[in-house]
């Protein structure tokens, strides 16, 4: 006669195996995908070894080599890498590109499977992330003030809220964020610090095309002419940064940089600024690390970039 506790444990193990098999892809080009908080918890319980370190790479999909490099950094830190794919409505204003944001989950998952670093894909639905009655927002200030916020006032509350939820749902030891979205990286570091979250935020360097254009999912919007112009953004930013590093007046260098951007063919410049690299406040001490940050528009595309000065 089987002991009731053993019978219960066997039943639980059988249930876990059945659940696991239901996410497991039939072909080896794919990865297990879970779409709810409950199945995420069950998948982690079934797939992760006790005490195994976990790293999260949070994405909105439309993956490119930049995201895969974040997964590789994640795998260097932790054997269990979870990639989340969620186009977060809360970080788009009504007039922005939520509806047209590039989505190709099958391709994303195939890329992650081929790159080998990822163990599990978490792709929740909007209803799962923001169920009826959802009414709490993480509203960061500090590093979130100015720059992007001057043009996308809703953006960092949307990002901070979804990232805090992802942290609570996935429970990572590490989370990797690209330096491409430098203000976002600083805001997330601040949220983690301010809310006493025990997660190591690890930055991933920006990957660039041959002409220096930072890899971005939104580069897919660029037509041939816009793509050509886009390549000059990093060149003008680098020239401006070099001038300041060599002692030029920051205001003068930025005015020259803005004029160069207009001449290169960008339709408008949201900002081209040099800021304290940690606080993102205007530079008061030139000896402290500085960052040049830009957001520009060409045709229907808004590009952002940044680099150390
Ligand atoms: O950088 C992104 O792709 C998004 O802002 C993030 C961090 C996944 C939150 O939706």
């Amino acid at each position: 006669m089987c002991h009731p506790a053993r019978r219960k444990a066997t039943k639980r193990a059988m249930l876990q195996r059945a659940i696991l098999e239901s996410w497991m892809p039939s072909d080896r080009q794919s990865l297990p995908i879970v779409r709810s908080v409950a199945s995420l918890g069950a998948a982690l319980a079934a797939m992760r070894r006790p005490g195994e370190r976990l790293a999260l790479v949070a994405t909105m999909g439309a993956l490119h080599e930049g995201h895969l490099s974040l997964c590789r950094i994640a795998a260097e830190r932790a054997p269990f890498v979870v990639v989340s794919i969620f186009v977060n409505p809360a970080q788009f204003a009504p007039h922005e590109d939520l509806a047209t944001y590039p989505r190709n989950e099958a391709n994303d998952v195939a890329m992650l499977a081929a790159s080998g670093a990822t163990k599990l894909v978490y792709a929740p639905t909007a209803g799962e992330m923001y169920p009826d009655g959802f009414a709490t927002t993480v509203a960061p200030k500090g590093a979130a003030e100015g720059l992007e916020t001057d043009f996308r006032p809703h953006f960092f509350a949307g990002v901070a809220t979804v990232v805090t939820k992802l942290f609570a749902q996935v429970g990572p030891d590490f989370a990797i964020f690209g330096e491409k979205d430098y203000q976002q990286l600083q805001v997330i570091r601040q949220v983690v610090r301010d809310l006493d979250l025990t997660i190591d935020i690890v930055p991933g360097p920006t990957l660039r095309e041959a002409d220096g254009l930072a890899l971005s999912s939104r580069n897919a919007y660029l037509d041939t002419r816009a793509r050509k112009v886009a390549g000059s953004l990093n060149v003008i930013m680098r020239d401006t940064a070099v001038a300041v590093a060599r002692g030029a007046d920051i205001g003068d260098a930025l005015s020259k940089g803005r004029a160069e951007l207009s001449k290169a063919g960008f339709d408008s410049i949201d900002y081209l600024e040099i800021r304290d690299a940690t606080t993102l406040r205007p530079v008061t001490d030139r000896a402290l690390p500085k960052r040049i940050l830009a957001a520009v528009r060409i045709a229907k595309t808004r590009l952002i970039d940044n680099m150390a000065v």
Side-chain angles (χ1 to χ4, degrees):
M1 187 66 176
C2 189
H3 190 276
R6 184 148 356 123
R7 213 169 35 230
K8 215 165 145 193
T10 313
K11 219 168 145 192
R12 197 171 45 234
M14 279 169 65
L15 191 67
Q16 273 186 347
R17 190 157 351 109
I19 294 172
L20 195 56
E21 275 163 10
S22 74
W23 311 309
M24 279 301 178
S26 49
D27 69 277
R28 286 174 173 278
Q29 308 306 313
S30 198
L31 284 168
I33 306 173
V34 289
R35 301 192 187 277
S36 70
V37 178
S39 49
L40 171 67
L44 291 178
M47 295 175 68
R48 194 177 169 199
R49 280 195 291 273
E52 195 172 42
R53 313 271 274 168
L54 188 153
L56 169 69
V57 179
T59 80
M60 296 208 300
L63 302 185
H64 49 67
E65 191 48 44
H67 295 107
L68 299 185
S69 78
L70 301 183
C71 297
R72 285 191 286 272
I73 294 172
E76 282 164 15
R77 304 273 171 150
F80 201 103
V81 175
V82 176
V83 174
S84 63
I85 299 179
F86 180 62
V87 183
N88 175 31
Q91 65 191 75
F92 291 79
H95 64 278
E96 291 182 343
D97 57 344
L98 173 63
T100 54
Y101 193 85
R103 290 166 173 86
N104 191 344
E105 188 185 277
N107 191 53
D108 291 344
V109 175
M111 281 173 77
L112 292 171
S115 91
T118 305
K119 291 263 169 70
L120 179 68
V121 175
Y122 176 43
T125 59
E128 180 73 10
M129 196 56 98
Y130 301 114
D132 277 352
F134 181 87
T136 301
T137 300
V138 178
K141 291 199 166 25
E145 289 169 303
L147 301 170
E148 283 300 290
T149 297
D150 289 343
F151 298 87
R152 307 184 71 199
H154 57 284
F155 179 65
F156 284 120
V159 169
T161 303
V162 82
V163 166
T164 306
K165 281 176 68 77
L166 286 168
F167 287 168
Q169 293 166 349
V170 178
D173 301 291
F174 303 95
I176 326 299
F177 290 91
E179 285 183 337
K180 156 78 173 38
D181 297 293
Y182 189 80
Q183 190 177 11
Q184 170 175 278
L185 170 66
Q186 295 307 96
V187 169
I188 291 167
R189 283 176 158 149
Q190 180 187 291
V191 168
V192 164
R193 217 171 33 240
D194 290 352
L195 300 184
D196 304 310
L197 305 179
T198 48
I199 300 166
D200 266 1
I201 301 300
V202 181
T206 303
L207 261 53
R208 295 178 182 279
E209 304 276 5
D211 63 355
L213 177 66
L215 297 194
S216 162
S217 306
R218 287 189 169 99
N219 291 353
Y221 299 150
L222 297 166
D223 63 20
T224 312
R225 183 195 75 87
R227 173 62 190 84
K228 209 162 162 213
V229 174
S232 60
L233 173 62
N234 78 96
V235 178
I236 295 167
M237 291 177 74
R238 197 166 300 279
D239 289 350
T240 309
V242 167
V244 170
R246 288 184 179 152
D249 177 79
I250 292 180
D252 291 348
L254 290 173
S255 300
K256 184 161 177 261
R258 288 183 198 114
E260 293 291 332
L261 287 171
S262 300
K263 212 163 78 191
F266 291 102
D267 297 325
S268 62
I269 303 159
D270 282 357
Y271 57 82
L272 174 71
E273 294 290 346
I274 291 179
R275 293 292 177 90
D276 178 290
T278 310
T279 62
L280 296 182
R281 302 314 307 154
V283 175
T284 48
D285 181 350
R286 284 188 66 128
L288 292 176
K290 297 177 285 302
R291 201 94 190 167
I292 185 165
L293 304 104
V296 294
R297 292 176 196 259
I298 176 144
K300 282 191 283 191
T301 311
R302 185 171 186 272
L303 299 171
I304 61 170
D305 200 355
N306 71 88
M307 54 191 74
V309 174

